[in-house]
Coordinates of all heavy atoms in Angstrom, one line a residue:
P1 N 11.7 -11.6 6.6 CA 10.4 -11.9 5.9 C 9.7 -10.6 5.5 O 9.1 -10.6 4.4 CB 9.6 -12.7 6.9 CG 10.6 -13.3 7.9 CD 11.7 -12.3 7.9
Y2 N 9.7 -9.6 6.3 CA 9.0 -8.4 6.0 C 9.6 -7.7 4.8 O 8.9 -7.2 3.9 CB 8.9 -7.4 7.2 CG 8.1 -6.2 6.9 CD1 6.7 -6.2 6.9 CD2 8.7 -5.0 6.6 CE1 5.9 -5.1 6.6 CE2 7.9 -3.9 6.3 CZ 6.6 -3.9 6.3 OH 5.8 -2.8 6.0
R3 N 10.9 -7.6 4.8 CA 11.6 -7.0 3.7 C 11.3 -7.7 2.4 O 11.1 -7.0 1.3 CB 13.1 -7.0 3.9 CG 13.9 -6.2 2.8 CD 15.3 -6.1 3.2 NE 15.4 -5.1 4.2 CZ 16.5 -4.7 4.8 NH1 17.7 -5.2 4.4 NH2 16.5 -3.8 5.8
R4 N 11.3 -9.0 2.4 CA 11.0 -9.8 1.1 C 9.6 -9.5 0.7 O 9.3 -9.3 -0.5 CB 11.2 -11.3 1.4 CG 12.6 -11.7 1.4 CD 12.8 -13.2 1.3 NE 12.1 -13.9 2.4 CZ 12.7 -14.2 3.5 NH1 13.9 -13.9 3.7 NH2 12.0 -14.9 4.5
L5 N 8.7 -9.4 1.6 CA 7.3 -9.1 1.3 C 7.2 -7.7 0.7 O 6.5 -7.5 -0.3 CB 6.4 -9.2 2.6 CG 4.9 -8.8 2.4 CD1 4.2 -9.7 1.5 CD2 4.3 -8.8 3.8
S6 N 7.8 -6.8 1.3 CA 7.8 -5.4 0.8 C 8.4 -5.3 -0.6 O 7.8 -4.6 -1.5 CB 8.6 -4.5 1.8 OG 8.6 -3.2 1.3
Q7 N 9.5 -5.9 -0.8 CA 10.2 -5.9 -2.1 C 9.3 -6.5 -3.2 O 9.2 -6.0 -4.3 CB 11.6 -6.6 -2.0 CG 12.6 -5.8 -1.2 CD 13.9 -6.6 -1.0 OE1 13.9 -7.8 -1.1 NE2 14.9 -5.9 -0.6
R8 N 8.7 -7.7 -2.8 CA 7.8 -8.3 -3.8 C 6.6 -7.4 -4.2 O 6.3 -7.3 -5.3 CB 7.3 -9.6 -3.2 CG 6.6 -10.5 -4.3 CD 5.9 -11.7 -3.8 NE 4.5 -11.2 -3.6 CZ 3.7 -11.7 -2.7 NH1 4.1 -12.6 -1.9 NH2 2.5 -11.2 -2.5
L9 N 6.0 -6.8 -3.2 CA 4.9 -5.9 -3.4 C 5.3 -4.7 -4.3 O 4.6 -4.3 -5.2 CB 4.3 -5.4 -2.1 CG 3.4 -6.3 -1.4 CD1 3.0 -5.7 -0.1 CD2 2.1 -6.7 -2.2
K10 N 6.5 -4.2 -4.0 CA 7.0 -3.0 -4.7 C 7.3 -3.4 -6.2 O 6.9 -2.7 -7.1 CB 8.2 -2.5 -4.1 CG 8.7 -1.1 -4.6 CD 9.8 -0.6 -3.8 CE 10.2 0.8 -4.3 NZ 11.3 1.4 -3.5
R11 N 7.8 -4.6 -6.4 CA 8.2 -5.1 -7.7 C 6.9 -5.4 -8.5 O 6.8 -5.0 -9.6 CB 9.1 -6.3 -7.6 CG 9.5 -6.9 -8.9 CD 10.3 -8.2 -8.8 NE 9.4 -9.2 -8.3 CZ 9.6 -9.9 -7.2 NH1 10.6 -9.7 -6.4 NH2 8.7 -10.8 -6.8
D12 N 5.9 -6.1 -7.8 CA 4.7 -6.5 -8.5 C 3.6 -5.6 -8.5 O 2.7 -5.6 -9.4 CB 4.3 -7.8 -7.9 CG 5.3 -9.0 -8.0 OD1 6.2 -8.8 -8.8 OD2 5.1 -10.0 -7.3
G13 N 3.6 -4.6 -7.6 CA 2.4 -3.7 -7.3 C 2.3 -2.7 -8.4 O 1.7 -2.9 -9.5
G14 N 2.8 -1.5 -8.2 CA 2.8 -0.5 -9.2 C 1.6 0.4 -9.0 O 1.6 1.6 -9.5
V15 N 0.5 0.0 -8.4 CA -0.7 0.8 -8.2 C -1.1 0.8 -6.8 O -1.2 -0.3 -6.1 CB -1.8 0.3 -9.1 CG1 -3.1 1.0 -8.9 CG2 -1.5 0.3 -10.6
C16 N -1.4 2.0 -6.3 CA -1.9 2.1 -4.9 C -3.3 1.5 -4.8 O -4.2 1.9 -5.5 CB -1.9 3.6 -4.5 SG -2.6 3.9 -2.8
H17 N -3.5 0.6 -3.8 CA -4.7 -0.1 -3.7 C -5.8 0.8 -3.0 O -7.0 0.5 -3.1 CB -4.6 -1.4 -3.0 CG -4.8 -1.4 -1.5 ND1 -5.9 -1.8 -0.9 CD2 -3.9 -0.9 -0.6 CE1 -5.7 -1.6 0.4 NE2 -4.6 -1.1 0.6
L18 N -5.3 1.9 -2.5 CA -6.3 2.8 -1.8 C -6.8 3.9 -2.8 O -8.0 4.2 -2.8 CB -5.6 3.5 -0.6 CG -5.2 2.5 0.5 CD1 -4.4 3.2 1.6 CD2 -6.5 1.9 1.1
C19 N -5.9 4.5 -3.6 CA -6.4 5.6 -4.5 C -6.5 5.1 -6.0 O -7.1 5.8 -6.8 CB -5.5 6.8 -4.3 SG -3.9 6.7 -5.1
G20 N -5.8 4.0 -6.3 CA -5.8 3.5 -7.7 C -4.8 4.2 -8.6 O -4.8 3.9 -9.8
L21 N -4.0 5.1 -8.1 CA -3.0 5.7 -9.0 C -1.6 5.0 -8.9 O -1.3 4.3 -7.9 CB -2.8 7.2 -8.5 CG -4.1 8.1 -8.6 CD1 -3.8 9.5 -8.1 CD2 -4.5 8.2 -10.1
P22 N -0.8 5.2 -10.0 CA 0.5 4.5 -10.0 C 1.4 4.9 -8.9 O 1.3 6.1 -8.4 CB 1.1 4.9 -11.4 CG 0.0 5.5 -12.1 CD -1.1 5.9 -11.2
I23 N 2.3 4.0 -8.4 CA 3.3 4.3 -7.5 C 4.7 4.4 -8.2 O 5.0 3.4 -8.8 CB 3.4 3.3 -6.3 CG1 2.0 3.2 -5.6 CG2 4.5 3.6 -5.3 CD1 1.9 2.0 -4.7
D24 N 5.4 5.5 -8.1 CA 6.7 5.6 -8.7 C 7.7 4.9 -7.9 O 8.0 5.3 -6.8 CB 7.0 7.1 -8.9 CG 8.3 7.3 -9.6 OD1 9.1 6.4 -9.8 OD2 8.6 8.5 -10.0
P25 N 8.3 3.8 -8.4 CA 9.2 3.0 -7.6 C 10.5 3.8 -7.3 O 11.3 3.4 -6.4 CB 9.5 1.8 -8.4 CG 9.2 2.2 -9.8 CD 8.1 3.2 -9.7
E26 N 10.8 4.9 -8.0 CA 12.0 5.6 -7.8 C 11.9 6.6 -6.6 O 12.9 7.0 -6.1 CB 12.4 6.4 -9.1 CG 12.6 5.6 -10.3 CD 13.7 4.6 -10.1 OE1 14.8 5.0 -9.6 OE2 13.6 3.4 -10.5
L27 N 10.7 6.9 -6.2 CA 10.5 7.8 -5.1 C 10.9 7.1 -3.8 O 10.6 5.9 -3.6 CB 9.1 8.3 -5.0 CG 8.6 9.2 -6.1 CD1 7.2 9.5 -5.9 CD2 9.5 10.5 -6.2
R28 N 11.6 7.8 -2.9 CA 12.0 7.2 -1.6 C 11.3 7.9 -0.5 O 11.0 9.1 -0.6 CB 13.5 7.3 -1.4 CG 14.3 6.7 -2.6 CD 14.3 5.2 -2.4 NE 15.1 4.6 -3.5 CZ 14.6 3.6 -4.2 NH1 13.5 3.0 -4.0 NH2 15.3 3.0 -5.2
A29 N 11.1 7.1 0.6 CA 10.6 7.7 1.8 C 11.5 8.8 2.3 O 12.7 8.7 2.1 CB 10.4 6.7 2.9
P30 N 11.0 9.9 2.8 CA 9.7 10.2 3.3 C 8.8 10.9 2.2 O 7.8 11.5 2.6 CB 9.9 11.1 4.5 CG 11.1 11.9 4.0 CD 12.0 10.9 3.2
H31 N 9.1 10.8 0.9 CA 8.2 11.4 -0.1 C 6.8 10.9 0.1 O 6.6 9.7 0.2 CB 8.7 11.1 -1.5 CG 8.1 12.0 -2.5 ND1 6.8 11.7 -3.0 CD2 8.5 13.0 -3.2 CE1 6.5 12.6 -3.9 NE2 7.5 13.4 -4.0
P32 N 5.8 11.8 0.1 CA 4.4 11.3 0.4 C 3.9 10.3 -0.7 O 3.0 9.5 -0.4 CB 3.6 12.6 0.4 CG 4.5 13.7 -0.1 CD 5.9 13.2 0.0
M33 N 4.4 10.4 -1.9 CA 3.9 9.5 -2.9 C 4.8 8.2 -3.1 O 4.6 7.5 -4.1 CB 3.8 10.2 -4.3 CG 2.8 11.4 -4.2 SD 1.1 10.8 -3.8 CE 0.6 10.2 -5.4
S34 N 5.7 8.0 -2.2 CA 6.6 6.8 -2.3 C 5.8 5.6 -1.9 O 4.7 5.7 -1.3 CB 7.8 7.0 -1.4 OG 7.4 7.1 0.0
F35 N 6.4 4.4 -2.1 CA 5.8 3.1 -1.8 C 5.7 2.9 -0.3 O 6.7 3.2 0.4 CB 6.6 2.0 -2.5 CG 6.2 0.7 -2.1 CD1 5.2 0.0 -2.7 CD2 6.9 0.0 -1.1 CE1 4.8 -1.3 -2.3 CE2 6.5 -1.2 -0.7 CZ 5.5 -1.9 -1.3
S36 N 4.7 2.3 0.1 CA 4.6 1.7 1.5 C 3.7 0.5 1.4 O 2.9 0.3 0.5 CB 4.0 2.7 2.5 OG 2.7 2.9 2.3
V37 N 3.9 -0.4 2.4 CA 3.1 -1.6 2.6 C 1.9 -1.2 3.4 O 2.0 -0.7 4.5 CB 3.8 -2.7 3.2 CG1 2.9 -3.9 3.5 CG2 5.0 -3.1 2.4
D38 N 0.7 -1.4 2.9 CA -0.5 -1.2 3.7 C -1.1 -2.6 4.2 O -1.2 -3.5 3.4 CB -1.6 -0.5 2.9 CG -2.9 -0.2 3.7 OD1 -2.8 0.3 4.8 OD2 -4.0 -0.6 3.2
H39 N -1.4 -2.7 5.5 CA -1.9 -3.9 6.0 C -3.5 -3.8 6.0 O -4.0 -2.9 6.6 CB -1.4 -4.2 7.4 CG 0.0 -4.6 7.3 ND1 1.1 -3.7 7.4 CD2 0.6 -5.8 7.1 CE1 2.2 -4.3 7.3 NE2 2.0 -5.6 7.1
V40 N -4.1 -4.6 5.3 CA -5.6 -4.6 5.1 C -6.2 -4.6 6.5 O -7.1 -3.8 6.8 CB -6.1 -5.7 4.2 CG1 -7.6 -5.7 4.1 CG2 -5.5 -5.6 2.9
I41 N -5.9 -5.6 7.3 CA -6.3 -5.6 8.7 C -5.1 -5.0 9.5 O -4.0 -5.6 9.5 CB -6.5 -7.0 9.2 CG1 -7.6 -7.7 8.4 CG2 -6.9 -7.0 10.7 CD1 -7.9 -9.1 8.7
P42 N -5.2 -3.8 10.0 CA -4.1 -3.1 10.6 C -3.4 -4.0 11.7 O -4.1 -4.8 12.4 CB -4.7 -1.9 11.3 CG -6.0 -1.6 10.4 CD -6.5 -3.0 10.1
L43 N -2.1 -3.8 11.9 CA -1.4 -4.5 12.9 C -1.9 -4.2 14.3 O -2.0 -5.1 15.1 CB 0.1 -4.2 12.8 CG 0.8 -4.4 11.5 CD1 2.2 -3.9 11.5 CD2 0.7 -5.9 11.1
S44 N -2.4 -3.0 14.5 CA -2.9 -2.6 15.8 C -4.2 -3.4 16.1 O -4.7 -3.4 17.3 CB -3.2 -1.1 15.9 OG -4.2 -0.8 14.9
M45 N -4.8 -4.0 15.1 CA -6.1 -4.7 15.3 C -5.9 -6.2 15.2 O -6.8 -7.0 14.9 CB -7.2 -4.3 14.3 CG -7.6 -2.8 14.5 SD -8.8 -2.4 13.3 CE -9.5 -0.9 14.0
G46 N -4.6 -6.6 15.2 CA -4.2 -8.0 15.2 C -3.9 -8.6 13.9 O -3.8 -9.8 13.7
G47 N -3.8 -7.7 12.8 CA -3.5 -8.2 11.5 C -2.1 -8.8 11.4 O -1.2 -8.3 12.1
P48 N -1.9 -9.8 10.6 CA -0.6 -10.5 10.5 C 0.4 -9.6 9.8 O 0.1 -9.1 8.7 CB -0.9 -11.8 9.8 CG -2.2 -11.6 9.1 CD -2.9 -10.5 9.8
L49 N 1.6 -9.5 10.3 CA 2.6 -8.7 9.7 C 3.2 -9.3 8.4 O 3.4 -8.5 7.4 CB 3.8 -8.5 10.7 CG 5.0 -7.7 10.2 CD1 4.7 -6.3 9.9 CD2 6.1 -7.7 11.3
Y50 N 3.4 -10.6 8.3 CA 4.1 -11.2 7.2 C 3.2 -11.9 6.2 O 3.6 -12.4 5.2 CB 5.1 -12.2 7.7 CG 6.1 -11.7 8.7 CD1 6.2 -12.2 10.0 CD2 6.9 -10.7 8.3 CE1 7.1 -11.7 10.9 CE2 7.9 -10.1 9.2 CZ 7.9 -10.7 10.5 OH 8.9 -10.2 11.4
D51 N 1.9 -11.9 6.4 CA 0.9 -12.6 5.5 C 0.7 -11.8 4.3 O 0.2 -10.7 4.3 CB -0.4 -12.8 6.3 CG -1.4 -13.6 5.5 OD1 -1.1 -13.9 4.3 OD2 -2.4 -13.9 6.0
P52 N 1.1 -12.3 3.1 CA 0.9 -11.6 1.8 C -0.6 -11.3 1.5 O -0.9 -10.3 0.8 CB 1.4 -12.6 0.8 CG 2.2 -13.6 1.5 CD 1.7 -13.6 2.9
D53 N -1.5 -12.1 2.1 CA -2.9 -11.8 1.9 C -3.4 -10.6 2.7 O -4.5 -10.0 2.4 CB -3.8 -13.0 2.3 CG -3.6 -14.2 1.3 OD1 -3.2 -13.9 0.2 OD2 -3.7 -15.3 1.8
N54 N -2.6 -10.1 3.6 CA -2.9 -8.9 4.4 C -2.1 -7.7 4.0 O -2.3 -6.6 4.6 CB -2.7 -9.2 5.9 CG -3.3 -8.2 6.8 OD1 -4.4 -7.7 6.6 ND2 -2.5 -7.7 7.7
A55 N -1.3 -7.8 2.9 CA -0.5 -6.7 2.5 C -0.8 -6.2 1.1 O -1.0 -7.0 0.2 CB 1.0 -7.1 2.6
R56 N -0.9 -4.9 1.0 CA -1.2 -4.3 -0.4 C -0.2 -3.1 -0.6 O 0.2 -2.4 0.4 CB -2.6 -3.8 -0.4 CG -3.7 -4.8 -0.2 CD -3.9 -5.7 -1.4 NE -5.0 -6.6 -1.2 CZ -4.9 -7.8 -0.6 NH1 -3.8 -8.2 0.0 NH2 -6.0 -8.6 -0.5
P57 N 0.1 -2.8 -1.8 CA 0.9 -1.6 -2.1 C 0.1 -0.4 -1.9 O -1.1 -0.3 -2.3 CB 1.3 -1.8 -3.6 CG 0.3 -2.7 -4.2 CD -0.2 -3.6 -3.0
A58 N 0.7 0.7 -1.4 CA 0.0 2.0 -1.2 C 1.0 3.1 -1.2 O 2.2 2.9 -0.9 CB -0.8 2.0 0.1
H59 N 0.5 4.3 -1.6 CA 1.3 5.5 -1.4 C 1.5 5.7 0.1 O 0.6 5.4 0.8 CB 0.7 6.7 -2.0 CG 0.6 6.7 -3.5 ND1 -0.6 6.6 -4.2 CD2 1.5 6.7 -4.5 CE1 -0.4 6.6 -5.5 NE2 0.9 6.7 -5.7
R60 N 2.6 6.3 0.5 CA 2.8 6.6 1.9 C 1.7 7.5 2.4 O 1.2 7.2 3.5 CB 4.2 7.2 2.0 CG 4.7 7.5 3.3 CD 6.1 8.1 3.2 NE 6.7 8.4 4.5 CZ 7.2 7.5 5.3 NH1 7.3 6.2 5.0 NH2 7.7 7.9 6.5
I61 N 1.4 8.5 1.7 CA 0.3 9.5 2.1 C -1.0 8.8 2.3 O -1.8 9.1 3.2 CB 0.3 10.7 1.3 CG1 -0.6 11.8 1.9 CG2 -0.2 10.4 -0.1 CD1 0.0 12.4 3.1
C62 N -1.4 7.9 1.3 CA -2.7 7.2 1.4 C -2.7 6.3 2.6 O -3.7 6.3 3.3 CB -2.9 6.4 0.1 SG -3.0 7.4 -1.4
N63 N -1.6 5.6 2.8 CA -1.5 4.7 4.0 C -1.6 5.5 5.3 O -2.3 5.1 6.2 CB -0.2 4.0 3.9 CG -0.2 2.7 4.8 OD1 -1.1 2.5 5.6 ND2 0.8 2.0 4.6
M64 N -1.0 6.7 5.3 CA -1.0 7.5 6.5 C -2.4 8.1 6.8 O -2.9 8.1 7.9 CB 0.0 8.6 6.4 CG 1.4 8.2 6.5 SD 2.7 9.4 6.2 CE 2.3 10.6 7.3
K65 N -3.1 8.5 5.7 CA -4.5 9.0 5.8 C -5.4 8.0 6.3 O -6.3 8.2 7.1 CB -4.9 9.6 4.5 CG -4.3 10.9 4.1 CD -4.9 11.4 2.8 CE -4.3 12.7 2.4 NZ -4.8 13.2 1.1
R66 N -5.2 6.8 5.8 CA -6.1 5.7 6.3 C -5.8 5.3 7.7 O -6.8 5.0 8.5 CB -5.8 4.4 5.4 CG -6.7 3.2 5.8 CD -6.5 2.1 4.8 NE -7.2 0.9 5.3 CZ -6.6 -0.1 5.7 NH1 -5.3 -0.2 5.7 NH2 -7.3 -1.2 6.1
G67 N -4.6 5.5 8.2 CA -4.2 5.2 9.6 C -4.6 3.8 10.0 O -4.4 2.8 9.2
T68 N -5.1 3.6 11.2 CA -5.4 2.3 11.7 C -6.8 1.9 11.4 O -7.3 0.9 11.9 CB -5.2 2.2 13.2 OG1 -6.0 3.2 13.8 CG2 -3.7 2.4 13.5
G69 N -7.5 2.7 10.6 CA -8.9 2.4 10.2 C -8.9 1.2 9.2 O -7.9 0.8 8.7
R70 N -10.1 0.7 9.0 CA -10.2 -0.4 8.1 C -10.9 0.0 6.8 O -11.7 -0.7 6.2 CB -11.0 -1.6 8.7 CG -10.1 -2.2 9.9 CD -10.8 -3.3 10.5 NE -10.7 -4.5 9.6 CZ -11.1 -5.7 10.0 NH1 -11.7 -5.9 11.1 NH2 -10.9 -6.7 9.2
G71 N -10.6 1.3 6.4 CA -11.2 1.8 5.1 C -10.8 0.8 4.0 O -9.8 0.2 4.0
S72 N -11.7 0.8 3.0 CA -11.5 -0.1 1.9 C -10.8 0.5 0.8 O -10.8 1.8 0.6 CB -12.9 -0.7 1.5 OG -13.7 0.4 1.0
A73 N -10.3 -0.3 -0.1 CA -9.7 0.2 -1.3 C -10.8 0.8 -2.2 O -11.9 0.3 -2.2 CB -8.9 -0.9 -2.0
R74 N -10.4 1.7 -3.1 CA -11.4 2.3 -4.0 C -11.5 1.4 -5.2 O -10.5 0.8 -5.7 CB -10.9 3.6 -4.5 CG -10.9 4.6 -3.3 CD -10.4 6.0 -3.7 NE -11.3 6.5 -4.7 CZ -11.2 7.7 -5.3 NH1 -10.1 8.4 -5.0 NH2 -12.1 8.1 -6.1
S75 N -12.7 1.2 -5.7 CA -12.9 0.4 -6.9 C -12.6 1.2 -8.1 O -12.5 2.5 -8.1 CB -14.4 -0.1 -6.9 OG -15.2 1.0 -7.2
S76 N -12.5 0.6 -9.3 CA -12.3 1.3 -10.5 C -13.5 2.2 -10.8 O -13.3 3.3 -11.4 CB -12.0 0.4 -11.7 OG -13.2 -0.5 -11.8
A77 N -14.7 1.9 -10.4 CA -15.9 2.7 -10.6 C -15.7 4.0 -9.8 O -16.1 5.1 -10.3 CB -17.1 2.0 -10.1
D78 N -15.1 4.0 -8.6 CA -14.9 5.2 -7.8 C -13.9 6.1 -8.5 O -14.1 7.3 -8.5 CB -14.3 4.8 -6.4 CG -15.3 4.1 -5.5 OD1 -16.5 4.2 -5.7 OD2 -14.8 3.4 -4.6
R79 N -12.9 5.5 -9.1 CA -11.9 6.3 -9.8 C -12.5 7.0 -11.0 O -12.3 8.1 -11.3 CB -10.7 5.5 -10.2 CG -9.8 5.1 -9.0 CD -8.5 4.5 -9.5 NE -8.6 3.5 -10.4 CZ -8.8 2.2 -10.2 NH1 -8.9 1.8 -8.9 NH2 -8.8 1.3 -11.1
S80 N -13.3 6.2 -11.7 CA -13.9 6.8 -12.9 C -14.8 8.0 -12.6 O -14.9 9.0 -13.3 CB -14.8 5.7 -13.7 OG -13.9 4.7 -14.1
A81 N -15.6 7.8 -11.5 CA -16.5 8.9 -11.1 C -15.7 10.2 -10.7 O -16.1 11.3 -11.0 CB -17.4 8.5 -9.9
T82 N -14.6 10.0 -10.1 CA -13.7 11.1 -9.6 C -13.1 11.7 -10.8 O -13.0 13.0 -10.9 CB -12.6 10.6 -8.7 OG1 -13.3 10.0 -7.6 CG2 -11.8 11.7 -8.2
W83 N -12.6 11.0 -11.8 CA -12.0 11.5 -13.0 C -13.0 12.2 -13.9 O -12.8 13.1 -14.5 CB -11.2 10.5 -13.8 CG -10.0 10.0 -13.0 CD1 -9.4 10.5 -11.9 CD2 -9.4 8.7 -13.2 NE1 -8.4 9.7 -11.5 CE2 -8.3 8.6 -12.3 CE3 -9.5 7.7 -14.1 CZ2 -7.4 7.6 -12.2 CZ3 -8.6 6.6 -14.1 CH2 -7.6 6.6 -13.1

């Protein structure tokens, strides 16, 4: 089930929900900008592993920086201000 969830997010995602930048599907782990599944409610805090509502596409580095915190995704307004 996790592999199917990951494949679906990778296929449908394309944009990191944490930084808002595109994810290159050709990059493979351990490249920092490769695709990873980010759990909105971290597994360490009881978040469900297979629930699609708890999973979002993210860059590996963004996911690692967020860690087990419950930091929120950046809005498009945040990205515009940064750019």
